[in-house]
Each structure stands twice: as C-alpha cells, then as structure tokens.
Amino acid sequence: MLRRLQLSLNKEQIKYLAILSRMDIQDSEIKDVVDKLSRIVEFVDQLQAVSTEGTEPMAHPLEQGQRLRIDKVTEDNQREKIQLNANETNNGMYLVPKVID
Amino acid sequence: MNSNWEIVIGLEIHAQLATKSKIFSGASTAYGGEPNTQACLVDLGYPGTLPVLNQQAIEMAIRFGLAVDAEISSRSVFARKNYFYPDLPKGYQISQLDLPIVVGGNMSILDGDGNEKIIGITRAHLEEDAGKSVHEGLDGLSGIDLNRAGTPLLEIVSEPEMSSAREAVAYMRKIHSIVRYLEISDGNMQEGSFRCDANVSIKRFDQKELGTRAELKNLNSFKFIEKAINHEVMRQIEIIEDGGEVKQETRLYDSDLDETRPMRSKEEANDYRYFPDPDLLPVIIDETYIAYIKKTLPELPNAKQQRFIETYNLKVSDAQILTTTKQLADFYEAVEKIANTESQISANWVIGDYTAALNRDDLEIKDAKLSAADLAGLLNKIADQTISGKIAKEVFEAMWDGEGSAEEIIESKGLVQITDDSEIETIIDQVIENNPSQLAEYLSGKDRLFGFFVGQVMKETKGKANPQKVNEILKNKLT
Amino acid sequence: MIIKEIQNMTLCALKQGMKDKDFTSLEITEVLLSRINGLGATLNAFITVTAEQAIKEAKDADKLIATGKDKPLLGLPIAHKDLFCTDGVLTSCASKMLHNFIPPYDASVVKNLKASGAIMLGKTNMDEFAMGSSNETSYYGPVKNPWNLDLSPGGSSGGSATAVAACLVPAATGTDTGGSIRQPAALTGITGIKPTYGRVSRFGMIAFASSLDQGGVFTRSVEDAALLLGEMAGFDENDSTSVDVPVPDYLGGINQPVKGLKIGLVRQHFDAGLDDDNAIAVKEALDVLKDQGAVIIDIDLPNIELSVPTYYVVASAECSSNLSRYDGVRFGYRAENYKDLNEFYCKTRGEGFGAEVKRRIMTGTYVLSAGYYDAYYLKAQKVRQLISQDFKKAFEKVDLIAGPTTPSPAFSLGAKMDDPIEMYLNDIYTIGANLAGLPGMSIPCGFVNGLPVGLQLVGKHFGEESLLQCGHHYQQATDWHLQIPEQFK
C-alpha cells in the first residue's frame, strides 16, 4: 500500500528537525531551509513508487559477518595528549553547562 | 494491599559484563580510575574512530541466554539509538533493537505463597554504557567522566508478569545470582554493575487492558526496589481513586525521602531514530559455537539445588541457601566430601556459623582464613566425639581468627571432651552432693531442675563433658 | 634537471629519477613547496601546508636512499585530503566545527603511506565534511579549477584534484562517498580511483556516510594509481568493515592485456541528461578500447536512475548520526555565549556547521524519524538492494562497465548553489558504484570546449586489477592524461 505523503515540509517541521538535531537555524535562514529541504524531500519521494515487494534491505555492500576482537586491554592512559583538544576541563573531567535531571 | 487492584510489574535489568576491555574498544573497564584515564579515542567518539566488537561480550550474552533457556539469535544486529546527552560522546548509543542476541527465556521464582512461579524473559541484548557526570563542586557546571563509556551492558527485559514488589525482588535476586554464577557480571550494585528499572502499573481486578505504566529508575538495591515499587503502587492507586489518570512518565527513586519523583530530562518524548549501525556488521553465530559455549557452562543454581536435595538429602530451603552463590555451594561440597558427619550437619554449620562469621567480618569466601578442609576437620572432631558440638563453636571462632587447626586448638586449650563414664559419674556424684536442696526439690517433682544439674555438670567440666553421657548417667542417678 | 620537469612528473618517473640520482627527494619537495606557496592563493587547494615537516622527511628519505634502502614510496611527496586524521596536524574537514582540531593519531591510510616512505606536503581543501560536488561549501573558501579559474573543480575532494591537476603534487588522497574522487578527477582531467568498499581502511577517515565512504587516490596516471593504491589498501583490525583479502601487486600486474575484455555500456546512461559532447568523447574512448581488443556489450541497469534519491536518503541518514558527536564537549568548536546545556548544543552546532551540512543532517533526521523510517530509510535500503542486484546481473555478462563520469564538463562556481537537486544530479553516474560497494575509476578521455571529460570504469568487487589494467592500456594509446592546464605548465 502506497502512503500518500506530504510533498513538502513546513516551518514547524523544520523547527522540530532543528531541535531533534540540536542545531540553531536563524530566522533569516528558515525560509531558505524550508524551501531547499522541501525540494529534497519531494525529490526522494520518487522512491515511493518503486516496487520493493520481497526485497531485503541492504545495510552493507559486504556479505560478511562482524569480526570479533579478543578481550584484552590494549589502550593505555592518554588523557594528557587527548585533552589538548578539550575546550574546558577540571581535574580531567570535561566541563559543560549543568545537566539537570 | 487493597484486593481490588492488580499490580503489573516488568523489570529491565542492566548487568555490566565483566570483560577486561570495553565492548567496542580496547580500553580497560576497571572500576574507580581517575576521570578519563580509561577513555580511549573510540570511547570518546573522536572523529574517524570506529567500533570493533569484543568477543567476550558475545560469549557472556550467549551464556546468559543458555542459562535462562532462551533462543540465541543466529544473526543479530547492532543499532544506533540517537539522542544528545553530555555523557554520550557519539550522540548515539550502540545498542540492539530488532534483532537482539537473546530472545525469550524464563526464570522461576517463589511467589508470595511460596509456590513456584515462572517469569518470562522477553529478550536480552548487548549495548554500551554511557559515561558519568558530576554536578557538585564545579561552579554551576557539570563534569563529564567517560571512563565508563563503552563498558558492555547486557540489558535483560522481563515480561510484565510480576504481581508484587516481593516477586520483583525475588526475580531480581535470581537474575543477580545467575549472572554471578555464570561469572559474566560481579553484580555489584554499589558500583553500578547491576542496575534495575521497573515498569509499574496497576489495574482493576476485572479490567482487561493494562494500566498506564510509570518507569522507575535509580533502583540500586534490593531494599530500595521493594520500597520504590510499593510506594509507586500506592501513588497510582491514590491517583486513580481520586478520579485522576496515571501519567506515562519516568520517575526517579529518592532513597532519602523514600519517594519517587518525575525525571525532568525525560519529559519530552525522545525520537531515538534507531537504525542499524553501518560501522558494524551483523553478528553471525552458528550452532557449533553455541554448543561449545554450552559445554563450558557451570551447573546452574536450579540444577545444583535439585542435586543437593537429592544427593545430600537436604531440606529445600537449605539447598536454596547453599546454592545462592556458586562459591558457597562449592565450599559446602568441599566440606561435605571430607567430613564424616551427616550432610545435614555440614549444611547447618555452613549456613549457620560459617556464613554468620563471613557476614560479621564482611569477607568473601576466598578471603576467609578458614578453609573447607579446616571446617571439615572440625566437624570430624565432633563426629568422633573428641569434642561436643558446643565446644566446637568455641574452637570454630579460634580457627576463624587463624589460631590454628581444630586439632591444634583442641590440644592447646585442652578442650577434649570427657567421655569416660566413671569420670563423668564422679563429677555427677559431686554435683548432686553439693546441691541437696535442688535434689530434694527435683525428687519431689520439679522435673525441670534436671537442666540445672546438667548445667552444673557442664560448669564443672567447663563444657567438656559429653552431653549425651551426662544426660544418660544423670538420669540413672536421679531415679 | 629543470624545475619545470620535476613538477610535471608522475610518481613512477620521480621514483626512477631519484634512483638514477637525477635529483633528490629534498629537491623535489622544495620545488613543489615553492610552487604551492606561489599558487596557493590562486587555487586555494590547500588548507594546511606542512613545509617544515616535509623538508625534514625529505632529508631523512634521502639519507635512507643513500644507504641503498628502498621502500615503495620512499621520498615521494603526496598530499592528504583534510578528512584524514594526521597526528599533530590540523584536520579540519573544511569546517568551522573542526577548525582547531589537532588529532592525536594518524588515520590508517596515513600510517600506511608513511610506512611506505611517502612525504606529506599538506592537507587539501574539500567540501565541508565531504558533503558537496563542487568544493564550494568549504569553511576555507572554494577551490578553483586549474583549467578555468571561474569554474569548480568538482567535489568533495576538489582540493586534492586541483593540487594534482595543477602539478602542485604528483598525487593526493581523496574520499569517495557518491563520486567525490571520480567526479573531480573527470572535471580536472586526471586519474581518480575509488576502491571496493572494505578495501581501504576507514579508521581515521572522518566519517560522512559509513556504508558508502571509501578512501582512494588522485594521480596523473593509472600506473601511479596502481602504485599508491597498493600501499594504501589492506586489512585493518581497527575497522570492522575492512575486508581481510590480500592486496595484489597492482603495479606489477598492470600490463595484463585487455584483449577479450568484455566491457558493458549502460543503455540508461546515454539519455537526455548527458551532454552531447561528453557522450561523443566517451564513445570515442570506447572505440580506442575496442581497437585494443575489448568487446563492448550493451547492458541494462534498470534501476540506475533511482540511485541519486536512494543515495541521498541513505547518506543523509548515516551522516545525521555520524555528525552528532560534534557538540563542543570534548573537542572542536564551542559557541561563546549560551545560558544552558540546550543552548550550548544548539549554538555550537548551529554556528559550527555550514548550510549544506545542516541541510543534510536535517534531511537525515527526517528520513529516520518516527513515522518516516519505513517510507524513506527502509525503502531506500531496499532500492539499494535492487540497484546492487542490477550490477550483479550485469557482471555476469561483462568484466567492466564503462561510461561517462559526469553529465557535463566543469560548471561555474556558484552556478548550482540555488538548487540542491541540480547539484546532486552531478553524481548520477558515479553513485551506483558507492551503493553497490564496487570499485570505480575515472580517467581523462578528451576535451569539450577546452575542458576535460572523464571516462568512468566500474569493476566487480575486488576487481581493481581489471580497472587498472584497462585504464593503463588506454593511457598507453592516448595522451589525454598528459595534458596540463596552460596556466600551470
């Protein structure tokens, strides 16, 4: 059964997607984003018309199974080197605005 | 509890697997390291890094599945659960959704009336743990420690088939016991290697559909689980009886206030946008691998318990206690093998004095100074009448403190039992002579004074007289 | 040896030249560094030039050569696309988000090439996070096509392609997710190869779309590509999608004749979307191969037109998740003003990512979201299966598939920025190989109005040898690959 989907997105949907993906979209950008994203969605909608009855989804081009790694500690403490890239730390911890539970 | 209401509980248990390294990287999983000293680039979600699956995690999951009679998926897939949180470095958790490694299974518990009840297990899947955050002492900021990020977790989901807090605890204890038996998790709840969330709902007795459920989190002890669930049930009953509706939400249990409150961050519904992780391939598990693992499974609690009942003629309750942990069961069997006493006597000593001493000193069996051979040696001294059971307790304490073997202590403290009839007779005569008024009272009908005489004999002999002989000879003398 | 000759030489020629003691690695390196310095601003092909380190490595290489030691790439200079992690050297992915990111480790590709003796001259410009087909989305500004500075060199590996085409380096690494090596190779008149999925390790190759990304190379000859690919490829235990298949001697086997080679021509390729002149150039290229003994067979890839929408669903879904790690917590750009955690995330990511990246993340979020997953993502994965099956069937009849790499030659910078779909359709011939995980190569096969045209060859899984042999033979019978833009001769 083919579902009739919306052919374009609206501002509310774009705002929701921006929230889900934690990215600010400026008011000045919104119209352009709505327009471009709508066109993209319209474009990919052509897949709806394709018959895929009985076809398995393809997650990987490889037909092999996951390789297993021996349970061994192979990484040592590299905190100093790694945290050269950190923005703010305290006693080795990464600092962020307070997380409220 | 109001009998109009039926309680429906399902448990989600997260057991941290006791692998040496993380599920997808080679960093250490050891507890308690300095912040971020065990978080390698893969754990930190550094650009360009990729996950590689730890074989031991798979094996441990399979062991669990076999132990609960579940199906092991021949093909299982890892999926990404996408959400943003500072202790989740990649912005997604690698977990399993549609094709978990373990499907189905069951666990038997004793219900409220002491009858066996089978609780169904829906599934168990592998996933990676997140890091930890610290909220105090950082000037209004939070500190993120990612040492724990990437530690393998086995999430065990039960069917919603428990009908009381007690059943929930019983189930949780059983699972706790199994994972320790299988040595796949140390089950340490204080350190967070065994965590439980409970889904609780209520419904009227005759109601067909299930009620709205609340999810309780942060239940890190058996005691808290029972309290939290009971509290939650009461809360829900009150709401409905007041004409309200239970909200589907996540609630945190506060052990200080003994109450549950809604969790802020979970208020917005989260669309996790699960999809198969493209950096990992499907895990293919064949029959030969499963058979190989099956062979390495230890005897499980239920089977061991049954064997103890049959082989050693033990009471069900004793067999159950002795098989709570593999270590205790092994200890008991080691004692039983060497000791010449009846199995029940060995059992009594292990369940009683030995366990009491372990608990008192907060020791693990492997750290106690008294070995199974030592205890068996002591029991043999009772069996061959060298000492009485009462004296044995004194010897036990001395052995526990490392003062020597049973033989040595009995020797050095001169605790050998007096069993010589004539010796005992002499002492009895003396006691009777020294207590004429009690004798008179006894002879005139105060039967309970018999115990007084026994006590006096014991006092005289410093407890070393053989109690049976004393009883026998005294009886004769006093008639 | 005159400077001018060094800059135009291939890796193989340079290697021979050092062997013959015509020049040293240091001399080569200095020539190229000075060239990069002079032309840097004009082309904007480089984000970072590691001059000091390169000179040091060149000197070390010369010392080693003097002792008679040899390694396959000893003393040969290359550049890396700024998407490969390089220990201690900025790796920006051409994004503000990583403008200050210094990786503490080398990508496996970088490690392999270093171990083979190659010298890194710098990191090349690209489309931000590899998302684009024109190298116009870079935080560091667009790259110019050396054949015409008003035109785009293609993307996303535009910097690497331009650097090689303008003779700033003899070779450079790139990555190809939907055509990002082959398309720029075609638009700049050089050789570009994307290997079979799993052939080259993705560890340290900053992810865009995990099931499609592959690392590859740009060179000025197929021979060079064979040499470089042989050193890049190989099993890596750090990458679960890396395949444990031995790496053949690509260079050693390159002279295998093409007589009897069955080459498929896709009927669906030659339709209205393809520029007439491009079609002619491609057909002429096939005539050359026919002359060499290849047999051209018509084949069908009935679902090939669906490859672009399929790709955009799959790639955006995967990238939306892959880019969630960029949040300013542990590394990278962090916004300056925020009042709480939520604002921290939203501003950091809103300011750190460019418009195209944000669009793709939102598209990906959309196609994975509740209620849309089945209709878009799952559907696309099924169509991907159909497209793969088409290729499988085709490869029962032929050894290679040939056709145009792009629908038209290089386009103007800014020309396609208004309509994302128009930009996406640039990849219409290349995307299929990524979806099916097949190896693909583009080699120059002619000019249209003074601009290069590329011939694409696609092979079976792990069929790189066939591609290289066929391409090499073509280049022995033609000289398109020897052409250098006037301005950069």
Side-chain angles (χ1 to χ4, degrees), chain C residues 167-372:
Chain C
C167 302
L168 304 182
V169 270
T173 56
T175 63
D176 189 314
T177 306
S180 294
I181 288 178
R182 291 161 289 154
Q183 184 246 25
L187 300 186
T188 58
I190 57 176
T191 300
I193 185 166
K194 174 201 93 68
T196 307
Y197 184 85
R199 176 80 281 181
V200 169
S201 168
R202 289 189 302 114
F203 188 75
M205 200 175 98
I206 296 177
F208 159 19
S210 315
S211 75
L212 301 164
D213 292 345
Q214 259 299 275
V217 293
F218 291 96
T219 55
R220 270 179 254 126
S221 71
V222 172
E223 221 183 6
D224 278 2
L227 171 63
L228 215 48
L229 188 62
E231 300 308 308
M232 263 177 93
F235 174 65
D236 182 4
E237 60 181 17
N238 289 313
D239 174 358
S240 292
T241 59
S242 171
V243 180
D244 196 356
V245 164
V247 182
D249 183 359
Y250 292 130
L251 186 56
I254 208 166
N255 282 303
Q256 188 95 329
V258 297
K259 194 172 169 70
L261 195 68
K262 293 193 283 251
I263 300 181
L265 207 56
V266 182
R267 264 186 274 263
Q268 287 81 4
H269 280 175
F270 292 86
D271 65 3
L274 180 60
D275 268 16
D276 291 331
D277 292 324
N278 273 51
I280 292 170
V282 169
K283 288 251 165 77
E284 283 176 358
L286 291 166
D287 287 337
V288 171
L289 290 171
K290 242 196 291 196
D291 288 340
Q292 295 188 315
V295 177
I296 313 295
I297 300 173
D298 278 337
I299 55 165
D300 283 296
L301 293 177
N303 292 294
I304 205 67
E305 272 155 32
L306 297 169
S307 55
V308 183
T310 301
Y311 168 82
Y312 276 96
V313 171
V314 173
S316 58
E318 292 181 4
C319 88
S320 71
S321 178
N322 282 332
L323 269 63
S324 293
R325 67 193 64 204
Y326 302 109
D327 56 14
V329 174
R330 303 163 308 292
F331 54 81
Y333 176 77
R334 181 185 271 218
E336 276 170 19
N337 304 307
Y338 44 85
K339 65 177 195 293
D340 57 26
L341 184 66
N342 193 51
E343 221 171 85
F344 167 80
Y345 276 133
C346 294
K347 280 203 166 169
T348 295
R349 291 165 58 82
E351 291 164 17
F353 290 134
E356 177 67 27
V357 169
K358 287 201 274 199
R359 269 200 293 276
R360 300 226 191 171
I361 290 176
M362 284 194 285
T363 303
T365 305
Y366 178 72
V367 304
L368 288 175
S369 62
Y372 294 103

Side-chain angles (χ1 to χ4, degrees), chain C residues 104-167:
Chain C
Y105 77 110
D106 274 335
S108 296
V109 161
V110 172
K111 228 185 358 197
N112 288 351
L113 293 174
K114 216 188 263 188
S116 300
I119 294 167
M120 177 174 76
L121 295 188
K123 309 296 290 296
T124 58
N125 203 349
M126 48 183 277
D127 274 310
E128 187 182 0
F129 280 108
M131 299 181 202
S133 309
S134 63
N135 217 138
E136 292 176 281
T137 65
S138 166
Y139 176 60
Y140 298 97
V143 176
K144 316 285 177 65
N145 190 322
W147 293 91
N148 180 331
L149 298 177
D150 291 327
L151 305 183
S152 153
S156 64
S157 316
S160 282
T162 290
V164 172
C167 302

Side-chain angles (χ1 to χ4, degrees), chain B residues 188-443:
Chain B
N188 188 325
M189 290 195 266
Q190 282 83 358
E191 287 180 2
S193 34
F194 195 80
R195 323 201 274 256
C196 185
D197 298 336
N199 289 311
V200 182
S201 69
I202 56 173
K203 67 181 183 69
R204 293 217 122 90
F205 210 83
D206 50 1
Q207 195 179 314
K208 267 219 188 86
E209 327 85 44
L210 294 176
T212 310
R213 62 164 206 250
E215 185 187 8
L216 306 182
K217 286 186 108 66
N218 197 29
L219 307 169
N220 55 18
S221 84
F222 296 116
K223 194 172 70 179
F224 290 163
I225 296 208
E226 196 158 359
K227 283 180 160 206
I229 293 177
N230 284 330
H231 178 272
E232 178 61 19
V233 168
M234 287 280 98
R235 186 188 77 91
Q236 290 191 12
I237 290 178
E238 251 178 63
I239 291 177
I240 297 184
E241 283 184 341
D242 282 347
E245 265 177 38
V246 173
K247 213 164 66 158
Q248 179 170 343
E249 59 186 354
T250 303
R251 299 178 71 88
L252 270 183
Y253 177 67
D254 186 327
S255 53
D256 293 328
L257 301 172
D258 187 24
E259 65 176 24
T260 62
R261 54 184 166 82
M263 244 181 113
R264 281 252 241 122
S265 60
K266 294 268 187 163
E267 263 166 31
E268 314 154 6
N270 237 323
D271 183 354
Y272 294 119
R273 289 158 279 133
Y274 280 97
F275 72 105
D277 192 327
D279 288 328
L280 294 165
L281 301 173
V283 183
I284 309 295
I285 297 169
D286 64 25
E287 290 301 323
T288 34
Y289 189 46
I290 298 176
Y292 158 78
I293 294 176
K294 201 165 192 165
K295 277 208 207 88
T296 67
L297 284 185
E299 187 183 28
L300 294 171
N302 278 354
K304 203 185 277 284
Q305 185 179 311
Q306 201 49 40
R307 183 170 63 79
F308 274 22
I309 293 169
E310 286 163 16
T311 313
Y312 304 121
N313 263 313
L314 296 176
K315 289 183 278 179
V316 177
S317 53
D318 283 347
Q320 199 167 68
I321 296 172
L322 285 173
T323 56
T324 315
T325 66
K326 185 168 177 294
Q327 288 75 14
L328 190 64
D330 288 347
F331 182 83
Y332 169 69
E333 286 203 283
V335 171
E336 218 285 329
K337 199 163 177 192
I338 307 172
N340 297 322
T341 54
E342 266 179 48
S343 309
Q344 186 65 53
I345 302 212
S346 310
N348 294 344
W349 272 87
V350 173
I351 293 172
D353 298 73
Y354 181 72
T355 303
L358 280 178
N359 289 340
R360 182 193 67 215
D361 293 350
D362 200 15
L363 286 175
E364 298 271 341
I365 292 176
K366 62 177 163 67
D367 300 323
K369 290 198 205 95
L370 187 106
S371 71
D374 292 337
L375 183 57
L378 177 64
L379 297 182
N380 283 341
K381 290 294 178 195
I382 304 174
D384 67 14
Q385 308 245 328
T386 309
I387 53 173
S388 66
K390 194 146 183 252
I391 292 288
K393 285 186 189 279
E394 205 184 306
V395 179
F396 176 85
E397 288 306 325
M399 286 171 78
W400 187 262
D401 290 336
E403 286 178 33
S405 69
E407 181 104 30
E408 288 163 0
I409 292 168
I410 292 171
E411 175 84 40
S412 67
K413 293 196 191 230
L415 296 172
V416 178
Q417 191 172 225
I418 301 171
T419 51
D420 182 54
D421 283 2
S422 52
E423 213 182 319
I424 292 178
E425 209 178 322
T426 312
I427 297 169
I428 287 178
D429 286 339
Q430 197 150 19
V431 165
I432 290 177
E433 215 185 292
N434 293 340
N435 296 282
S437 49
Q438 283 88 343
L439 176 65
E441 279 185 58
Y442 176 76
L443 290 175

Side-chain angles (χ1 to χ4, degrees), chain A residues 3 5-6 9 13-14 17-18 20-25 29 32-33 36-37 39-41 43-48 50-52 55-64 66-67 81-82 85-88 94-99, chain C residues 87 100-102 104 197 211 235-237 239-243 306 308-310 328-332 334 338 341-342 345-347 349-350 358-359 362-363 366 371 375-376 379 381-382 384-386 388 392 417-419 421 424 437:
Chain A
R3 244 175 80 200
L5 298 157
Q6 281 176 270
L9 303 176
Q13 285 172 295
I14 298 297
L17 292 175
L20 261 191
S21 52
R22 299 293 189 279
M23 298 185 306
D24 267 351
I25 308 286
E29 292 176 278
D32 186 55
V33 175
K36 292 211 164 84
L37 234 65
R39 279 198 252 179
I40 293 169
V41 171
F43 176 66
V44 301
D45 262 339
Q46 60 183 286
L47 294 177
Q48 303 311 316
V50 183
S51 166
T52 51
T55 308
E56 284 299 301
M58 180 184 191
H60 283 109
L62 301 174
E63 267 164 34
Q64 66 185 34
Q66 173 66 33
R67 189 173 18 94
K81 187 177 185 196
I82 293 173
N85 272 301
N87 285 301
E88 262 186 82
Y94 296 97
L95 294 180
V96 296
K98 194 153 193 161
V99 179
Chain C
D87 194 345
N100 58 357
F101 177 61
I102 316 274
Y197 184 85
S211 75
F235 174 65
D236 182 4
E237 60 181 17
D239 174 358
S240 292
T241 59
S242 171
V243 180
L306 297 169
V308 183
T310 301
V329 174
R330 303 163 308 292
F331 54 81
R334 181 185 271 218
Y338 44 85
L341 184 66
N342 193 51
Y345 276 133
C346 294
K347 280 203 166 169
R349 291 165 58 82
K358 287 201 274 199
R359 269 200 293 276
M362 284 194 285
T363 303
Y366 178 72
Y376 288 106
K379 187 77 180 181
Q381 295 282 50
K382 292 182 179 177
R384 183 177 182 177
Q385 182 77 260
L386 292 177
S388 283
K392 237 195 197 125
M417 294 304 274
D418 282 337
D419 186 353
I421 307 303
Y424 296 167

